[in-house]
Amino acid sequence: MSARRRVAATLAAALLFAAATPWVLRPWFLHADEFPRSESTVAAMADADLYLNVWILAWVAHALGSEPRAVFHGNIYHPAPHTLAGSENMLAHAPVTVPVMAATGSALGVLKAMALESFVANGVALFLLVLHHTGSAAAGLVAGAAFALTPWRPATMPQPQYLGTQYLPLALLAVDCWLARRRLRALAGLAAALALQALACLYVGYFTLIAVPAYAAARILSRGTVRRAAAATGVAAAIAAAGVAVLPAALPYLAARAEGSVPVHDPALITVYSWAPWAYLGPGLVERTGVVPLALVALGLLVLLVRGRSPLPEGATWALVAVGVLFSAGPSLRLLGVDLPLPYVLFYRFVPGFSAIRAPVRFFIVVVTGLAALGGYAFARVTARWPRALRAAAAVALLVACAWSAAPRPAQVVPAQLGRYAPEVERWLAAEPAGGAVVEIPAWYLPGDIIGDLRDARHMVASTIHWHPILNGYTGYPPPNAPFLGALIRRLPDADALGTLVASVDLRWIVVHRADLVSWEVPRWREVATPGLALAARFGTDEVYAVTATPAHDWRAEIVPRIAHPWPTTLEGTPTVPLAAACRSARFVDVTPPPLMISTTFPQPIPVRFENASACRWPALGVRAEGLVVLTYQWVGPSGKRYGRGPLTRLAHDVAPGTTVDDDVMVLPAGGERGRWTLEVMLAQQGVDEPLATRAVEIEVRGFGG
């Protein structure tokens, strides 16, 4: 095929993928103000993830267009640095998202642009790979459709970073071009594809780092013994160059890991999110890929058995599939009662950052890549003697089948409330000059608060209307000051909590969404008469309070250093070392549980009164949790089963000796067993296993409907 015909065929394929994308993402893609809404059993978590990723795309586009050096310092969790490193950065989409943000100012427009780019680019990438090997534009179109128009793509919209996988097949194509002609531009293309894949999606970047060398090794070994070392050296050099290229973007993640934000996941947890090889023989693979690519692969295998050896790189592509299947299984595989270590463990131990990957099951993306290419090769082999028009018609028909399989029914939607549909209160904030931070209430209050995560994720998207720094935040790996902020925000409009906030951060506005408050929050905000708060604006049930309080302390300069690493004292100057035995004298005076709790995802405050019966001052008011005295709890089910400790509830001040404190412990209701539960409330020092004091109370816990 001539170069001109290749270009024309590629453009035609891109147009077909572009035409199919709005239908696959219907109805929200073509509507002016709608986000897709999850229908899963964990809808609140999925929707929070979508809002997070919309904010990421919008923040990156906004920052790159205004202050590129601040791109990793997102406007959430103010004043925490490099907050973007708590999740993906999706920097590779900037050539599309930056101009769209500049033209529209809409986070929804940015999401749509990224989605369209990803669907089209993924289809074109597989098209080019298969076209390179078969010379058949029809086969390339089928492969592109099998890769881009698969059920898992619209289903993964809450995590749109996984849409941007086009650089994986382009890296495979670069390997093939290097082996075919040994031109340096092929190595440059390989390095660029590897780097861009890491910048499009960190997960898939790691997957590509594993899958592409495996594919390259299989291709090199299949080409005889001539100059194998030189071919392998070129591939290795391109991989090294890609690593150097992404290093600047990796540094904020290394900083976040050093401060403790990015965790090292336990292998046992990773195994929970893995897929054993035999899982690929079940319905899960069909649900992700659809029937078309699997049927084509099966047909291709049948034809190959009949006709014999193929000149296409199917052996290396099957090696790619095998790598995806193997690494999907995670660190180990249990066979006959024995845990068999897998190659995943080596990457977990020796590749920086790989231990932060929680879900090996997403290696199925590598498997889908290989299967799509194999489907294209099978189509080329089966239709090799067909008339060109018939091949083209069959390819288009299969593309339509893939699109229908990907989205047989429209997605559920929710209003985005952006652009001209933005709430009045957010537009009012946008008109205010820069200076000072915003906090929106209700918010997130403690780890495990799923509804709070969703609340703050919505506030993050709303912040793309005004771009003021906000105290709210939701991300995969929040900075250490998140619980500190959450504990103070929960107590507002309490004057003492407000005083601690303004002493710690430059807070200018408090926005209260009264219609969204839950039962225990309503009384706190019924009548706001807090000194230092003045009603500035009201829009229906939304109110804006100006913060005029003067800080009694000046801790603002200390907050960022205290986020970065543990501190020897609290903000009030108490050492955070483990309390000596003589300092651990404590008792609960009272715990007042409700007679009944409904099993929901809303945390509920339970009043407690406790006493520091020692002669020592307890550390409690700190940015990081290390060494602080906190409240926590543990549920014991009706059957006697003991569950793990709940999230920590921070205290508002250090606790003076001989002091009795009235506070609340925030409790996530139990669930799973019927009957009367025991709640063990604990006063504990973080980092010390033995509690200072414990009080057990009984509570009736019921699900919805009794």
Side-chain angles (χ1 to χ4, degrees):
M1 182 182 293
S2 67
R4 180 177 295 181
R5 286 184 59 194
R6 283 176 180 267
V7 171
T10 303
L11 290 175
L15 290 173
L16 286 171
F17 296 133
T21 299
W23 191 87
V24 171
L25 299 180
R26 70 193 188 285
W28 68 270
F29 187 86
L30 293 179
H31 282 199
D33 190 57
E34 288 182 350
F35 280 139
R37 181 167 59 89
S38 175
E39 301 176 62
S40 71
T41 56
V42 289
M45 295 175 61
D47 289 341
D49 282 349
L50 175 63
Y51 287 115
L52 162 64
N53 286 293
V54 169
W55 171 82
I56 291 172
L57 288 166
W59 169 260
V60 168
H62 167 76
L64 289 178
S66 57
E67 193 178 356
R69 289 181 297 178
V71 68
F72 272 92
H73 303 302
N75 68 322
I76 61 175
Y77 295 119
H78 181 72
H82 46 74
T83 52
L84 190 66
S87 187
E88 296 278 358
N89 57 69
M90 295 183 270
L91 284 165
H93 300 288
V96 171
T97 59
V98 170
V100 170
M101 174 57 78
T104 68
S106 169
L108 177 58
V110 169
L111 174 66
K112 290 179 178 180
M114 181 265 186
L116 179 62
E117 171 230 336
S118 297
F119 273 78
V120 174
N122 276 282
V124 169
L126 247 296
F127 172 88
L128 292 173
L129 177 65
V130 172
L131 177 64
H132 172 79
H133 289 291
T134 66
S136 169
L141 186 65
V142 169
F147 186 53
L149 306 177
T150 53
W152 72 267
R153 289 192 184 275
T156 201
M157 279 310 302
Q159 293 93 25
Q161 65 268 31
Y162 296 111
L163 297 177
T165 57
Q166 60 265 31
Y167 300 106
L168 171 54
L170 290 178
L172 303 178
L173 177 58
V175 167
D176 292 327
C177 290
W178 163 245
L179 296 179
R181 299 182 182 179
R182 302 295 177 88
R183 293 181 178 176
L184 291 179
R185 66 185 183 187
L187 292 183
L190 175 58
L194 293 171
L196 288 168
Q197 188 58 78
L199 295 175
C201 179
L202 292 172
Y203 258 61
V204 184
Y206 278 114
F207 300 168
T208 303
L209 177 67
I210 296 169
V212 169
Y215 178 85
R219 293 285 285 132
I220 291 170
L221 291 174
S222 69
R223 296 174 68 85
T225 59
V226 180
R227 302 187 66 185
R228 283 180 177 173
T233 300
V235 172
I239 293 173
V244 173
V246 301
L247 184 59
L251 293 177
Y253 291 92
L254 295 176
R257 181 167 181 174
E259 74 182 17
S261 298
V262 179
V264 174
H265 289 302
D266 187 280
L269 175 65
I270 294 173
T271 301
V272 172
Y273 296 98
S274 63
W275 247 23
W278 43 85
Y280 283 92
L281 302 176
L285 183 61
V286 179
E287 292 171 359
R288 285 167 167 79
T289 65
V291 174
V292 172
L294 297 179
L296 285 171
V297 170
L299 180 60
L301 286 173
L302 179 62
V303 173
L304 186 61
L305 288 174
V306 173
R307 297 184 182 178
R309 189 171 180 177
S310 168
L312 300 173
E314 290 169 292
T317 308
W318 278 112
L320 183 79
V321 171
V323 166
V325 170
L326 181 63
F327 277 82
S328 295
S332 62
L333 188 63
R334 192 162 186 82
L335 291 173
L336 302 176
V338 177
D339 289 326
L340 178 67
L342 296 177
Y344 192 103
V345 173
L346 297 176
F347 288 82
Y348 177 88
R349 292 178 179 173
F350 300 115
V351 176
F354 194 79
S355 58
I357 291 179
R358 186 180 60 184
V361 65
R362 294 198 181 276
F363 266 96
F364 83 83
I365 293 172
V366 176
V367 177
V368 172
T369 306
L371 292 177
L374 289 167
Y377 299 146
F379 182 88
R381 186 181 304 112
V382 170
T383 63
R385 298 180 182 178
W386 291 13
R388 182 183 301 173
L390 182 58
R391 284 201 308 270
V396 172
L398 288 174
L399 181 147
V400 171
C402 287
W404 182 89
S405 174
R409 58 191 178 89
Q412 295 294 311
V413 296
V414 63
Q417 295 188 300
L418 294 169
R420 68 178 185 272
Y421 302 96
E424 286 185 90
V425 64
E426 306 298 344
R427 284 183 274 158
W428 185 89
L429 287 170
E432 289 297 310
V438 177
V439 62
E440 300 210 34
I441 294 171
W444 172 93
Y445 300 130
L446 78 168
D449 180 4
I450 296 174
I451 299 301
D453 288 336
L454 180 57
R455 289 166 161 177
D456 270 1
R458 286 173 174 160
H459 298 328
M460 288 163 59
V461 172
S463 79
T464 68
I465 299 167
H466 56 72
W467 288 123
H468 296 306
I470 62 174
L471 305 192
N472 308 85
Y474 166 68
T475 189
Y477 305 126
N481 69 322
F484 168 74
L485 292 172
L488 295 172
I489 295 168
R490 173 177 65 84
R491 290 177 163 89
L492 291 175
D494 175 73
D496 186 59
L498 178 65
T500 302
L501 266 180
V502 298
S504 306
V505 299
D506 181 16
L507 179 61
R508 185 182 179 194
W509 305 110
I510 297 176
V511 179
V512 181
H513 303 281
R514 289 187 175 274
D516 296 331
L517 298 174
V518 296
S519 58
W520 65 266
E521 295 170 309
V522 171
R524 292 180 182 270
W525 291 97
R526 183 166 288 128
E527 293 183 7
V528 179
T530 305
L533 287 184
L535 182 64
R538 179 181 286 119
F539 306 95
T541 58
D542 296 333
E543 296 175 345
V544 184
Y545 291 88
V547 178
T548 61
T550 302
H553 306 279
D554 188 7
W555 295 324
R556 295 181 185 182
E558 300 180 28
I559 298 302
V560 172
R562 287 174 180 268
I563 292 171
H565 51 79
W567 211 255
T569 61
T570 66
L571 289 169
E572 294 178 323
T574 306
T576 55
V577 296
L579 294 171
C583 299
R584 295 176 57 81
S585 179
R587 71 184 184 97
F588 278 101
V589 179
D590 191 26
V591 175
T592 311
L596 174 69
M597 290 184 75
I598 303 299
S599 185
T600 69
T601 53
F602 284 102
Q604 182 168 335
I606 294 181
V608 300
R609 176 177 292 175
F610 62 87
E611 179 187 5
N612 177 0
S614 76
C616 306
R617 187 177 181 86
W618 293 345
L621 183 61
V623 176
R624 299 174 67 102
E626 291 93 339
L628 301 184
V629 172
V630 297
L631 290 164
T632 186
Y633 64 91
Q634 189 170 29
W635 284 108
V636 181
S639 66
K641 180 180 178 181
R642 186 173 291 274
Y643 293 80
R645 284 191 183 183
L648 309 180
T649 297
R650 298 285 194 94
L651 305 180
H653 288 285
D654 295 350
V655 184
T659 302
T660 298
V661 177
D662 289 294
D663 209 330
D664 296 322
V665 58
M666 298 297 293
V667 174
L668 292 169
E673 292 187 62
R674 294 183 177 181
R676 199 159 180 81
W677 288 70
T678 298
L679 177 69
E680 294 182 354
V681 180
M682 289 170 273
L683 190 67
Q685 186 178 25
Q686 183 69 355
V688 179
D689 291 336
E690 185 66 26
L692 280 75
T694 302
R695 170 70 71 90
V697 294
E698 290 191 348
I699 305 177
E700 185 74 22
V701 181
R702 297 179 186 171
F704 284 110

